[in-house]
Amino acid sequence: MFTSFVNSILDIPCRDWNAIAGTSHPFLRYEFLAALETQGCVGEAHGWLPYHITAFDEDELVGIAPLYLKDNSYGEFVFDWAWADAYQRNGMAYYPKLVSSIPYTPVTGSRLLVHPASDHQAVSHALIERARQLMQETRASSLHWLFTSEADTATLVDSGFLRRTSCHFHWHNDNYSCFDDFLARLSSRKRKKIRRERRHVQEAGVQMEVVSGKEASSEQWQTMHYFYRSTFMKKSGMPSLTLEFFEEISRTMGEQLVLVFASHQQRYVAGAIMLRGDDALYGRHWGCLEEFNSLHFEACYYQGIEYCIENKLSLFEPGAQGEHKISRGFLPSYTWSAHQIGNQQFSEAIARYLLQEHELTVDYYNELMKTSPFKKTDQVIAS
């Protein structure tokens, strides 16, 4: 077995990549990552330089690790700004660093992608060792694997990486037959609150529409991209995803795109972008032209829950952070990342910090679970 790397996913045939990554997880698909590269969403201007690792058994591609060389920490959602600041205050450079992640996407998934017919352990370790070599070759300060699956996390920890524990909020489908079935599992107070929020939207005359990405018109994509950009502009952020990116993945994997539009007086006033896998829905972006009471909750949460129930999807991940999601049926779930810090002193200090942070995160998780909106006899256990 030998390993290498490519500076563009276009150097790997789409069929070969998807034979390993599969197509059930939309963010790991070749089409998604290729669109990021070809449509100006990653690259030198954004500080996301592709360094994807490949593993071959003779001439057959058997393993992949999506990897980027970064000169910033933007778009990662596993925050290491304090680590970078500590490096700077001690006269050292934290950037560049290597990151295995899906750009701008805080969604758990595999990062050590291995062909189903190959030796998973052997290929995984080959990918990890090649990433470590790249860390030396690029003079990166550190190597980070973000939003790793439970299996990948265990492999990386066994390989000497430092584990970091975080917490997001996910909705789980307990074989609900309809939205009212889901509401029936909640406490009376929470059930009334959700019904009141949905009623606010209806009484304002706002109508909701769910559109598949493969059926969305050019005008609808332009409108949705405007909503997406407007949210970043309001928060002084940078909208990294271009209209051309969304139009491309609409053409190449449109069946996995779900658009939620809100209209008022025959005009679109808000929208949300979601992606779906075989068994999960992922909320990603939202924006609006006008403010309506509870419209954000309707477009980003309740429409997604209804979609999961109707399509028998077991999981809904609406995005990062947000304790307000708990009262609406989204329970805390652990997320992980794994880190190697090149400087020994900093590595030891960060290791101590991560142990303390892990204990605090576990306490935080347990306290949040006490606020579950579900009836005590209908508690849903989050993974």
Side-chain angles (χ1 to χ4, degrees), residues 223-224 226-231 234 262 268-272 286-292 295-296:
T223 300
M224 187 63 78
Y226 178 82
F227 292 149
Y228 158 74
R229 292 180 64 253
S230 69
T231 298
K234 291 174 184 176
Y268 287 139
V269 294
W286 136 274
C288 65
L289 289 178
E290 298 181 35
E291 299 289 341
F292 290 86
L295 180 54
H296 173 263

Side-chain angles (χ1 to χ4, degrees), residues 108-275:
T108 295
S110 296
R111 301 293 176 258
L112 301 168
L113 308 175
V114 179
H115 194 283
S118 298
D119 184 329
H120 195 280
Q121 183 176 11
V123 176
S124 293
H125 283 98
L127 294 170
I128 292 170
E129 288 310 307
R130 190 66 182 98
R132 282 177 161 148
Q133 292 171 16
L134 274 175
M135 182 178 164
Q136 300 299 321
E137 294 168 12
T138 59
R139 298 184 179 182
S141 71
S142 46
L143 172 59
H144 311 263
W145 308 78
L146 308 184
F147 296 101
T148 47
S149 66
E150 190 169 357
D152 284 357
T153 303
T155 299
L156 289 161
V157 171
D158 288 344
S159 298
F161 285 80
L162 305 175
R163 183 188 67 181
R164 189 173 194 182
T165 308
S166 301
C167 187
H168 283 185
F169 301 91
H170 300 161
W171 180 87
H172 298 264
N173 189 350
D174 192 19
N175 295 316
Y176 301 120
S177 61
C178 61
F179 196 88
D180 282 341
D181 187 16
F182 156 64
L183 289 181
R185 310 288 183 91
L186 304 180
S187 67
S188 175
R189 186 165 62 90
K190 301 301 183 184
R191 184 166 61 247
K192 290 178 180 177
K193 177 181 180 181
I194 292 175
R195 282 177 171 157
R196 182 169 60 251
E197 289 176 344
R198 303 201 80 181
R199 191 165 57 247
H200 285 319
V201 175
Q202 295 170 358
E203 291 175 349
V206 176
Q207 296 181 321
M208 308 304 299
E209 177 186 7
V210 177
V211 179
S212 169
K214 66 180 179 181
E215 297 173 351
S217 67
S218 176
E219 291 76 15
Q220 286 176 316
W221 272 117
Q222 291 177 33
T223 300
M224 187 63 78
H225 190 254
Y226 178 82
F227 292 149
Y228 158 74
R229 292 180 64 253
S230 69
T231 298
F232 283 87
M233 296 305 184
K234 291 174 184 176
K235 297 181 178 180
S236 300
M238 182 175 66
S240 302
L241 303 179
T242 63
L243 173 60
E244 292 77 14
F245 163 77
F246 287 113
E247 289 176 333
E248 179 170 332
I249 62 173
S250 178
R251 290 190 298 270
T252 59
M253 50 182 287
E255 73 283 357
Q256 290 185 289
L257 287 160
V258 180
L259 307 184
V260 177
F261 286 98
S263 60
H264 183 253
Q265 296 180 349
Q266 298 183 330
R267 181 175 72 113
Y268 287 139
V269 294
I273 302 172
M274 304 180 187
L275 286 90

Side-chain angles (χ1 to χ4, degrees), residues 68-86:
Y68 299 86
L69 186 69
K70 297 208 60 195
D71 63 9
N72 59 69
S73 293
Y74 180 76
E76 297 174 15
F77 299 92
V78 177
F79 304 109
D80 61 353
W81 304 104
W83 303 358
D85 182 63

